[in-house]
Amino acid sequence: MLNLQEGAGECNQAMAAVIETIGLSKTYRTGFWKRKKGKALESLTLSVEEGEVFGFLGPNGAGKTTTLKLLMRIIRPTSGEASILGYSIGHPHVYSQVGYLPEQPYFYDYLTAEELLSYLGRLSGVPSKHLASRVTDLLKRAGLFEARSLQLRKFSKGMLQRIGLAQAVINDPKVLFLDEPFSGLDPIGRRELREMIQQLNRQGVTIFFSSHILSDLESLCNRYAILHQGRLLDSGKLEEALDRESQTIEVVAGGVRKEEALCLEDLVQDMTQIGDRVRFLVPREAGLTRIVETVERAGGKILTIHPVRPSLEEVFFRRIRVPSAAPSAISSAGMSGS
Amino acid sequence: MKVLWIAGNTFRENIRDKVLYNLVTVAFLLVGGALLLGELSIGYEMKIIIDIGMASVSLTGVLIAVFIGISLVQKEIEKRTIYNIVSKPVSRHQFLLGKFLGLLFTLAVNVSLMVMAIFAALIYLNGRWDWSFLNILPATLLIFMELVLVTALSLFFSSFSTPVLSAVFTLSLWVAGHFNNDFLSFAKLSKSPVAEFTCRLLYYLLPNFSNFDSNAAPTAIQQAGYLQTPEPVVLLAAFAYGSLYTVLLLAAAAGIFERRDFK
Amino acid sequence: MKALHLGILAAACALGAFQCQRVLDSRSSRTPKEEILYLSDPEIIRRASLGHASLLADFYWLRTIQYYGSKDRSRPDQQYDLLDPLLKLAVSLDSQMILVYRFGAIFLSEPPPIGAGNVPAALALLDEGIRKNPEAWVLPYDKGFVYYWQNKDYRKAAEWFFQASRYAGAPNELALLAESAMNRQGDLETAQQLWQQRYEEATNEKVKLNAKKNLQNLRAHRDKWTLEWVVNYFVRREKHLPASWEELIQKGWLKEVPMNPWGGTYILDPQNGSVGLDEATAARLSPLPDDYRKNLWQRLDQR
């Protein structure tokens, strides 16, 4: 879908789709006789390419976790197909190259951190001879080496999130799925996680993560998809989308005074004097010719012209058609972060 | 191999689970009580020890098999720990089999420890080791086979039902399975062909736990109180029966489990 | 593994398990050689029932029926060792089960191979029932029946029939029955009347069948003895043995010779004048005390 939208089908052929879903749907049946149907996900078609950090956003209940669970075989699709690294998700061996951090991960609380990592490492197919060093390395990187012999029941939420991430990467995955990885983390933890994701991505790991905290996505991902009520509303490259969505242009001129440009008041949205410069905010549809002429007539110079990008939050609210001021499903953390 | 790791982790969980220790304690208490009883009675001390001991092995084993068995998979789903397993290169069949084998290993350890306790009690009473004590082993093996089947039943029911209902189903079948022979005698007595067919069907359909009764031949209790070894053919057939029924239940559980959503 | 594979595996296992069960069933060692009742103290069973004594009573009643039903009644030496303890267990767990007392009284008292031939046990069971169920007239009536039929103690039988007749709701005929039991010792008609009543009121199939068999036996004896009496009378008058039934019929001694109750014929032995049954049905005749014959002949002589 993304490829088609961008009209770049043939030149992107070399780029392999790491994650691909075609018409993936999940319908839950509820009620005593399982007659009531609830659509958790409706015909999701998307592809994620190698090396991307793919942000999957949407309000709570939009179907983000459902999608991840479908991809991780935790639930079975009602219809549709999905593949990871070119293999259908029905092949268990694909998952030796996949890492997954569930939402609010919970692990066997009777195990110690070290035991959990070696157990899950074995199940992930890490060769026995590398396992011990890999576990130690990960414990150190997650800052849990001191707590390695502590049973997980004594772990804090943040520690659980870190051990969760450590187990997700134990097999050096090519693709990493993270479900709401930022929730429950303090600011320091969030920054650490951002850095870690960026580092993994630099090493070539494709990352697919869901979040409702838009600021996290904006600073990390290069592709995004918006999901709302089980439907895919929009997806694309983040940069392009933000540019495309820009509705105002910022023009900064030097050597002019605000008073000299008052004749432009009907055209511009805003005019501000900053030192010897004036900053004009112009709606996109209005031409810039009059501004340029006016400035030049006054003996000034145009210094910069660039579109004012909306925040991802604005894009998001436009997509789901909820006024940004109104209370919505988006968490307050998401609001304040942008 | 992954099946064994899952089994190993299940065993570790069981061992760190306090419920198991409680059941073992109950069993040791029973054997201790048996010692006391042995002191009081005249003549049949060893028989009483063996009887109470074997009953403890069977009863605690069944309790473990049912109550741990129904939660084997349920607990992983409920606590969402299963997310981290099925998202690894492990098939659901492997997971199910691993959990099953893990509990079997726990049960084997449990049964072995209790048999040791019985031996200790027998040595205490007899004053020395006697090789004839080993005659209780075939009966123990039959009990273990029974426990294997009970575990498979719990796993089967818990693959589609709630824990409470699974426990009820399993325990009911266990009790009914011991009275299974009555269906056959009802069938023989019955005059209506429909009733006879139904009785026969039930007889062959329900797990026949009386196959594993070592005291199905009550005359076998010898003077010293040792259980007589069952005929090899009977032992073998009972084992084959238990194993085949177990595989049948596991296959059914795997089929159901494969299609399940984990919340 | 595909669902199909699992299905095939499951089917193969089911078949295998079935075969194993057949092997196990075929081993005689799997069925106890000697019948043993593991628990025989009702008090222990009552406590073990955790408040469901009545349910356990039903269970033991079913066991009793099964036990009785499992016996091969064509073997003359058939034993019913467990019948008494099973019955006792059932009624001590639930003393209101009148049918159990009645069933027990019949099959404990009947001689082998039909029953255990244990009259004292039958009487003790009935005594227990009478004590626990002072409103049930059938129990003293059954006791009278046992005295009458098995013990041939007609005085005792009359006493108990009379006792039963005084219960509220007891049929009026009981008093008459008591009288006739007193007067007519070893009387075929009274016996027939007793069994007939039992036959008509029986709800339990085994009880009904037993009554029917006894009625057939009584009829066969009556016919046989009547025919013998006619032959004897013929000999006394004609001073020689009749050659055949035809001779007796031709000379007006008999109107006809009936079929026996099992569809066979009565056969006259021309050598000694004794009457028997044909080969096919002879085995079904079980002996009755000679009192009955004497009484019958006495009555025929009086005519």
Side-chain angles (χ1 to χ4, degrees), chain A residues 205-220:
Chain A
V205 181
T206 308
I207 291 157
F208 184 100
F209 78 101
S210 77
S211 182
H212 53 236
I213 304 176
L214 299 165
S215 61
D216 295 328
L217 275 139
E218 196 165 355
S219 61
L220 274 172

Side-chain angles (χ1 to χ4, degrees), chain C residues 214-227:
Chain C
N214 274 290
L215 281 168
Q216 286 171 330
N217 195 37
L218 284 167
R219 217 200 92 199
H221 276 97
R222 201 180 57 178
D223 291 351
K224 176 177 178 279
W225 286 331
T226 308
L227 289 168

Side-chain angles (χ1 to χ4, degrees), chain A residues 203-239:
Chain A
Q203 292 164 8
V205 181
T206 308
I207 291 157
F208 184 100
F209 78 101
S210 77
S211 182
H212 53 236
I213 304 176
L214 299 165
S215 61
D216 295 328
L217 275 139
E218 196 165 355
S219 61
L220 274 172
C221 64
N222 36 38
R223 278 269 278 276
Y224 74 99
I226 297 175
L227 207 60
H228 185 53
Q229 294 176 343
R231 290 204 184 116
L232 184 69
L233 291 183
D234 185 27
S235 64
K237 285 202 165 145
L238 190 63
E239 298 281 313

Side-chain angles (χ1 to χ4, degrees), chain A residues 26 69 72-76 92 95-96 100 102-104 106-111 115 119-120 122-124 151 167, chain B residues 2 5-6 9 12-13 16 76 79-81 83-92 95 258-263:
Chain A
K26 180 69 190 175
K69 281 183 179 175
M72 291 303 111
R73 303 182 302 164
I74 292 164
I75 54 178
R76 300 299 197 200
Y95 291 86
S96 55
Y100 170 57
E103 185 180 7
Q104 292 167 354
Y106 186 93
F107 302 103
Y108 306 99
D109 55 14
Y110 53 87
L111 292 185
E115 283 167 345
Y119 176 48
L120 293 179
R122 280 185 170 118
L123 293 188
S124 302
Q151 284 196 347
Q167 65 84 26
Chain B
K2 280 170 186 160
W5 288 119
I6 295 169
N9 192 54
R12 184 160 54 183
E13 175 184 2
R16 289 183 189 175
E76 297 242 4
K79 296 200 162 178
R80 290 186 283 134
T81 47
Y83 288 14
N84 299 305
I85 309 293
V86 294
S87 60
K88 300 277 183 275
V90 177
S91 75
R92 290 189 181 187
F95 173 72
E258 188 62 27
R259 279 158 194 77
R260 255 190 90 163
D261 285 344
F262 304 125
K263 275 193 282 189

Side-chain angles (χ1 to χ4, degrees), chain C residues 10 38 45 51 87 128 168 193 214-215 249 260 274 286 294:
Chain C
Y38 294 94
I45 297 175
L87 287 160
E128 179 76 6
Q193 203 180 333
N214 274 290
L215 281 168
I249 291 167
N260 74 37
S274 70
S286 54
K294 281 181 193 154

Side-chain angles (χ1 to χ4, degrees), chain B residues 84-106:
Chain B
N84 299 305
I85 309 293
V86 294
S87 60
K88 300 277 183 275
V90 177
S91 75
R92 290 189 181 187
H93 300 145
Q94 285 176 314
F95 173 72
L96 203 66
L97 194 60
K99 296 299 286 186
F100 176 71
L101 290 178
L103 182 51
L104 286 201
F105 192 56
T106 308

Side-chain angles (χ1 to χ4, degrees), chain A residues 39-92:
Chain A
K39 286 188 173 170
L41 192 65
E42 268 188 84
S43 194
L44 178 73
T45 300
L46 58 79
S47 68
V48 177
E49 272 142 32
E50 201 178 338
E52 283 184 335
V53 178
F54 194 93
F56 203 44
L57 63 150
N60 290 338
K64 303 182 305 271
T65 298
T66 302
T67 308
L68 278 159
K69 281 183 179 175
L70 283 169
L71 289 169
M72 291 303 111
R73 303 182 302 164
I74 292 164
I75 54 178
R76 300 299 197 200
T78 312
S79 63
E81 286 166 34
S83 64
I84 297 173
L85 295 164
Y87 291 97
S88 156
I89 55 168
H91 292 98

Side-chain angles (χ1 to χ4, degrees), chain A residues 312-332:
Chain A
L312 184 58
E313 188 183 347
E314 283 172 76
V315 176
F316 176 73
F317 283 123
R318 266 180 230 153
R319 288 290 177 273
I320 67 169
R321 295 189 182 88
V322 178
S324 54
S328 74
I330 299 297
S331 73
S332 56

